[in-house]
Amino acid sequence: MITHYGSEISGWLDTVPDLLDQAAERWKLTLGVYHDAGHASVVATAVTLDGRPLLLKAWADPARFRNEVTALRLWAGGPTADVVEVADDLAAAALEMIGGEPGGGERPSRELQMVAAALHGLHTFGRRRPRPCDLPPLTTYLDEEIRPRVRRRLETVDLGSWHELVNVVLPELLALEEDDGRATVLHADLYRENVLFDWLGHPRFIDPLPMAGDAAFDWAFWTVYYDLGHGTDARLATASRIARIPVPVLAPWCRALAVDGLLYYLETADPRAPRMADVLARLSAPIQGNRP
C-alpha cells in the first residue's frame, strides 16, 4: 500500500488495528487474523456470534470504499460477495466469505466458460438496475488516466524491439469509442484472484474497481489479464461469443489495455513485460497479417 499511495499512507496503516476493533465491536464480530493487505485495503477474517465466517475490509481511500460498496450492493443477488455490514465513518465493511474460507473453493475444470457466463450476468445486473450516477465514468478513465500515462511513458520508456509493435497499436487506443448500447457497471479489475468460487462451484466476483461504461472494457481486461500469457485466444473467442461483441470490435480494446500494461511493466522493470509483449503481438497479428 505504501508503494501504491506513498509514505503518507503510513499514518492510516497505524490506525488499522483500532479501526478493525471498532468495526468488530459495533457488529459483534470476533476478529481472526489479517488475511491480505493489497494496494487499496486491509482485510481480516472475522466470525459472527452464530459462527458465520466473514471478511472485514477497511479501505484507505473513502471514495474507493464508497464505489466498491455501491457496486456490490447494485449487484446484490448476483455473482458477487454479499455486503453484510457497512460503516461509512470507518470506510469499512463486513463481506461474505466466499466458500467459507479466504480464497474461496476449488476452481472447476470449466472455469473459463463459467466465469464468462457469470461476467455476462454481472453486466446484465448493471444494465437492468438503476445505475448510480456517482460511479466514475469509463470515458474519464480513458481520457484522464490511460491515454495521458501512455503518452508520458512513450517519452520515457525504452521500447527496444517492441517499438514498432506499440506504434502500430497506438492509434487504436487514441481512437477508442464507447458504444452506449453496451453501457453497464464495470468490474474493471478482472484479475484471476478477484474471481473466487463458492460452495457450489459458482464464480463470485470480488474487489471491483467499478466504473460505468462500455462492457467491452471488462471483456478486454478479462481477455488480457485474467491469466496473463495463457489462454488469451480462448478467452477472446469466449468473450466475443458470450458478450456478442464481434472479435474485430473487441480486439482493439484488448490491444489498448495490453499497450498500457506493457508500458507500465517496462517503466517499473516488471519481469512480466516480455509476457505482455507476447500477448500484444498475438492480439496484433491480424493488423500485421501474420496470424494463421
Side-chain angles (χ1 to χ4, degrees):
M1 293 186 72
I2 291 174
T3 300
H4 183 72
Y5 285 110
S7 58
E8 59 269 21
I9 202 67
S10 298
W12 179 82
L13 288 171
D14 291 339
T15 71
V16 166
D18 181 59
L19 187 156
L20 293 180
D21 282 339
Q22 289 184 60
E25 182 178 358
R26 184 179 303 181
W27 299 325
K28 296 179 171 55
L29 305 177
T30 300
L31 275 176
V33 297
Y34 286 108
H35 169 59
D36 182 47
H39 287 102
S41 62
V42 174
V43 179
T45 60
V47 180
T48 63
L49 290 175
D50 61 0
R52 181 185 180 187
L54 299 176
L55 288 177
L56 192 53
K57 186 170 183 178
W59 287 258
D61 180 355
R64 187 157 179 166
F65 152 74
R66 288 192 298 270
N67 291 339
E68 184 167 334
V69 169
T70 295
L72 290 175
R73 283 173 161 169
L74 173 78
W75 294 323
T80 56
D82 292 337
V83 178
V84 180
E85 300 281 2
V86 173
D88 292 335
D89 58 320
L90 302 175
L95 306 173
E96 174 189 12
M97 187 181 293
I98 305 301
E101 60 181 330
E106 185 177 350
R107 294 179 180 273
S109 58
R110 297 186 69 251
E111 177 181 355
L112 180 73
Q113 295 83 358
M114 294 179 70
V115 173
L119 181 57
H120 182 66
L122 200 73
H123 289 161
T124 300
F125 272 85
R127 276 189 285 268
R128 292 181 177 175
R129 294 179 174 177
R131 209 171 301 152
C133 60
D134 53 349
L135 283 179
L138 173 60
T139 298
T140 300
Y141 181 62
L142 291 172
D143 290 344
E144 297 183 9
E145 293 195 42
I146 289 187
R147 288 175 177 129
R149 73 190 181 202
V150 165
R151 292 190 185 98
R152 175 181 59 79
R153 286 169 176 155
L154 283 171
E155 296 176 354
T156 59
V157 168
D158 180 10
L159 293 172
S161 60
W162 300 315
H163 186 274
E164 183 177 353
L165 175 64
V166 170
N167 280 345
V168 168
V169 175
L170 189 60
E172 287 186 323
L173 169 59
L174 302 178
L176 280 180
E177 291 187 6
E178 296 187 64
D179 184 332
D180 290 340
R182 296 192 296 261
T184 187
V185 175
L186 306 172
H187 183 287
D189 209 28
L190 289 163
Y191 295 100
R192 196 169 185 237
E193 58 265 29
N194 288 341
V195 184
L196 308 183
F197 287 82
D198 62 19
W199 304 100
L200 299 175
H202 297 154
R204 307 280 289 277
F205 296 95
I206 64 169
D207 294 348
L209 190 61
M211 295 182 285
D214 193 328
F217 179 91
D218 261 359
W219 289 109
F221 197 110
W222 181 68
T223 296
V224 172
Y225 282 102
Y226 188 75
D227 189 8
L228 183 63
H230 302 282
T232 307
D233 292 346
R235 282 195 301 279
L236 177 58
T238 301
S240 177
R241 177 173 56 83
I242 298 296
R244 298 183 180 179
I245 303 175
V247 168
V249 173
L250 189 55
W253 287 87
C254 296
R255 291 189 284 265
L257 291 182
V259 164
D260 182 42
L262 175 60
L263 290 172
Y264 171 71
Y265 289 159
L266 288 172
E267 182 180 65
T268 58
D270 192 299
R272 291 172 292 183
R275 199 186 317 168
M276 181 62 85
D278 288 343
V279 169
L280 180 58
R282 289 192 66 81
L283 291 167
S284 303
I287 292 178
Q288 299 169 0
N290 59 359
R291 172 175 281 191

